[in-house]
Amino acid sequence: MAQAPQVAAALPWLADADALQNDKAVGWIKALRATGAEAFSQTGLPTVAWEGWQYTNLRALTPAKFRYSADPVKFDAAKIPAPLLGTHRVVLVNGQYQPKLSNLPDHVTVMSLMEAAEKNVAGIEEQLVTLGDLGKNPLTALNAAYLRDGFVLVVAKNRDVADPIEVVFYNAGRDAAVYPRVMYRLGENAGCTVIERHCGEGLYFANCYASIALESAARLRFYRFEEESDAAFHISNTSVQQQKDSSFEGFSLGLGGKLARQEFRLQLIDRAISSSIGGTYLMNGQQSHDFTVLADHFEPDGKSVQHFKGVVDDQARAVYQGKIHVRRAAQKTDGYQSHHALLLSPTAEASAKPELEIYADDVKCSHGATAGQLNPEAIFYLRSRGIPHDLARSLMVESFLGGAIEKVSYEPVRDIYFARVAAWLAGRGA
C-alpha cells in the first residue's frame, strides 16, 4: 500500500531515531519518543499552508542534508567561545551535556537528561510530558522523537543565585542534526539569571526545546543570544510555566543562521504573575528570522509584555507573530505587545501579525506594529552638524534598537547586547 505523502516526507527525518532503540532510557522516555515519532510521521514539517507558518518557509530544510548521531561527539574545546561574563557555565556540544566543561554553585543542581530521568528527579516527568498538541507542533514532536540529549538544572527553594549561569549550545557542524531538550526548574522564592548562547560552525540543524518551571514567587531573568553559523538552521521552542507571584524577564537577540525561528510560550497559570519577553534582530543577505510568541493568561491580575524591534537589510526577511490569550477567569489582565522593524533596503521584508484573543471583560490589552525606513531628514540634520553619513545611519539604528535593549534589567548583559549591535553595524559599514 502506498504511503500518505505526509508519512513519506516524514520518514527520512526519523530514520536515525533507530540509534536510540537499544539505549538504557527509562520506559516513559521511550514512550515519549514513540509518541513524538508517531505525531511527526503524520504531519512532516509544517508548510506555509499551516496556521502560524505562512511567513516562514522550511522548503530548504531537507533531511538528506543532516544526520543525527547518538555517539559521543568529538570536538575541539578551543573553539567553544569564551564566557561572556566569566561566571558559572553549562556546556553542550551538538546537544550533548559536557560535565567536564561545566561548573555551577553548590545550591544549583545540573545533570544530563538521561541521568535525571533515571534518578526520577521530582517533577521532570510531569514537565517533560507537558508537550502540548504534538500534531500541531511538528518540530516539538521531532525533538521528542530524539529525546536523549540535554540537561536538567534545578535551583533550590529560597536560593538566589547571584552570578548569571551561562549555557552554551555549541554545534560542531558536519551536517549534524541536534535535538537538545533542556529544563530549568526554580523552586519557591528562588532567583536566577540564565544566559543561553547558541553558536557553532558549518552547516547543521538545531532543533531545541527548553521548558522552564517557576514555582511561587520564583524569579528568572532569561537572556538568549542566537548567533548560529551563517549556514545553520535554528528552530527553538521555549515554554515557560509560572506559578503565583512569580516573574519572568526574557530577551533574545536574533543575529545568526540562514533560517531561524524562535518560539516562546508563556503560561501564566496562577494569580499575580509578571511575564515579559522582548528581543531584537539584525539581518542581512538572505537571512530569515521569525519570532513567534504566545502569552496565555489563566488567572486574574497577570501582566505580560512583548516588545520586539529589528533591522533588516539586503533581501533578508523578518517575522513577528505575537498573541495574547486571556481566559475568562483572567480578570484584571494587563497585556501589551509591540513590534517595530527598520528596513535598510528596498528589497528587505518585515511581516507582523499581532493578535488579541480575550474572553474576560475587565482587562487592559493593546498591540501595535510598524515598519519603516530611516528618516532622510534626520540623517540630513546629523550630516549638517558635521557627522559623516555612515556614522549618522549607525547612530540612528542604534537609537532605534536601544528602545528595546534598554528594557533589559541586568546591566552587564544589556551592555553586551549593545556591543553586538555596534559590531554588526561596523561590519556593515552602516
Side-chain angles (χ1 to χ4, degrees):
M1 181 181 295
Q3 296 172 329
Q6 296 94 329
V7 175
L11 289 182
W13 282 108
L14 298 170
D16 295 327
D18 290 343
L20 303 178
Q21 286 187 349
N22 297 320
D23 70 1
K24 298 180 180 178
V26 298
W28 59 268
I29 288 282
K30 291 189 174 182
L32 275 175
R33 290 174 185 163
T35 301
E38 173 61 23
F40 185 77
S41 69
Q42 298 301 315
T43 62
L45 294 177
T47 71
V48 292
W50 283 55
E51 177 71 23
W53 287 89
Q54 295 94 331
Y55 307 108
T56 297
N57 193 332
L58 299 180
R59 188 170 49 192
L61 187 59
T62 58
K65 294 181 179 177
F66 306 102
R67 297 304 303 268
Y68 171 82
S69 175
D71 297 331
V73 63
K74 298 178 181 178
F75 61 95
D76 182 356
K79 292 186 176 181
I80 296 174
L84 285 173
L85 295 172
T87 52
H88 310 303
R89 201 170 210 213
V90 179
V91 175
L92 295 92
V93 178
N94 284 16
Q96 297 177 13
Y97 169 54
Q98 306 295 325
K100 292 182 179 178
L101 300 178
S102 306
N103 68 87
L104 288 166
D106 293 339
H107 47 277
V108 175
T109 302
V110 65
M111 63 184 73
S112 72
L113 186 63
M114 292 299 95
E115 181 185 2
E118 186 177 351
K119 292 183 177 178
N120 196 25
V121 173
I124 72 159
E125 181 175 356
E126 178 185 4
Q127 193 174 342
L128 271 172
V129 300
T130 308
L131 297 169
D133 187 344
L134 293 179
K136 295 181 179 178
N137 299 281
L139 275 305
T140 301
L142 183 60
N143 179 286
Y146 285 92
L147 191 60
R148 192 199 68 146
D149 300 324
F151 65 83
V152 178
L153 185 150
V154 180
V155 182
K157 177 181 177 180
N158 293 324
R159 292 287 190 173
D160 206 332
V161 183
D163 295 323
I165 299 170
E166 183 176 318
V167 182
V168 180
F169 297 76
Y170 178 77
N171 297 305
R174 297 191 296 276
D175 307 334
V178 299
Y179 302 98
R181 175 72 62 98
V182 300
M183 304 172 67
Y184 304 97
R185 299 183 59 82
L186 270 66
E188 183 179 340
N189 195 38
C192 186
T193 299
V194 170
I195 303 169
E196 279 196 356
R197 299 177 69 187
H198 297 262
C199 52
E201 58 177 298
L203 173 66
Y204 53 86
F205 167 46
N207 178 3
C208 315
Y209 189 100
S211 59
I212 297 169
L214 305 182
E215 295 186 13
S216 299
R219 306 164 303 283
L220 177 64
R221 292 186 295 205
F222 182 76
Y223 304 125
R224 292 184 102 245
F225 290 80
E226 186 283 285
E227 299 177 312
E228 304 281 24
S229 78
D230 291 343
F233 294 81
H234 174 97
I235 303 289
S236 63
N237 191 318
T238 303
S239 176
V240 186
Q241 289 192 337
Q242 295 182 245
Q243 300 293 336
K244 184 180 179 182
D245 296 323
S246 64
S247 66
F248 172 81
E249 176 193 319
F251 193 88
S252 184
L253 170 71
L255 191 61
K258 178 180 181 180
L259 183 150
R261 174 171 164 125
Q262 299 187 52
E263 291 189 31
F264 298 91
R265 181 182 177 88
L266 314 176
Q267 294 179 286
L268 293 75
I269 59 178
D270 209 327
R271 304 176 66 98
I273 291 169
S274 172
S275 191
S276 70
I277 182 71
T280 190
Y281 52 82
L282 302 108
M283 289 184 296
N284 59 279
Q286 296 183 327
Q287 286 183 286
S288 174
H289 205 121
D290 180 337
F291 282 106
T292 293
V293 182
L294 167 65
D296 197 352
H297 292 257
F298 289 71
E299 296 292 338
D301 304 319
K303 181 177 182 180
S304 69
V305 176
Q306 302 172 30
H307 191 65
F308 290 83
K309 283 190 171 184
V311 174
V312 195
D313 203 353
D314 301 330
Q315 295 85 44
R317 298 191 69 222
V319 179
Y320 166 77
Q321 300 181 100
K323 184 174 183 177
I324 299 173
H325 182 211
V326 182
R327 302 183 185 234
R328 189 173 301 279
Q331 302 293 341
K332 306 291 184 185
T333 287
D334 187 353
Y336 173 76
Q337 59 181 173
S338 69
H339 172 259
H340 303 287
L342 187 59
L343 307 178
L344 300 182
S345 160
T347 53
E349 297 182 33
S351 301
K353 186 184 176 188
E355 293 180 272
L356 302 174
E357 184 174 342
I358 299 171
Y359 297 97
D361 55 17
D362 185 8
V363 303
K364 184 172 65 175
C365 294
S366 62
H367 61 69
T370 63
Q373 299 173 327
L374 289 173
N375 185 339
E377 294 183 359
I379 292 178
F380 176 80
Y381 174 83
L382 293 174
R383 293 192 67 187
S384 68
R385 272 125 183 99
I387 298 176
H389 180 267
D390 288 350
L391 179 57
R393 281 169 55 90
S394 178
L395 291 172
M396 292 185 65
V397 170
E398 286 191 76
S399 175
F400 171 75
L401 295 177
I405 297 173
E406 286 171 356
K407 298 184 184 301
V408 174
S409 66
Y410 190 59
E411 185 175 356
V413 174
R414 185 168 68 234
D415 291 344
I416 297 170
Y417 281 129
F418 274 118
R420 291 293 197 270
V421 171
W424 186 87
L425 289 168
R428 301 292 298 164

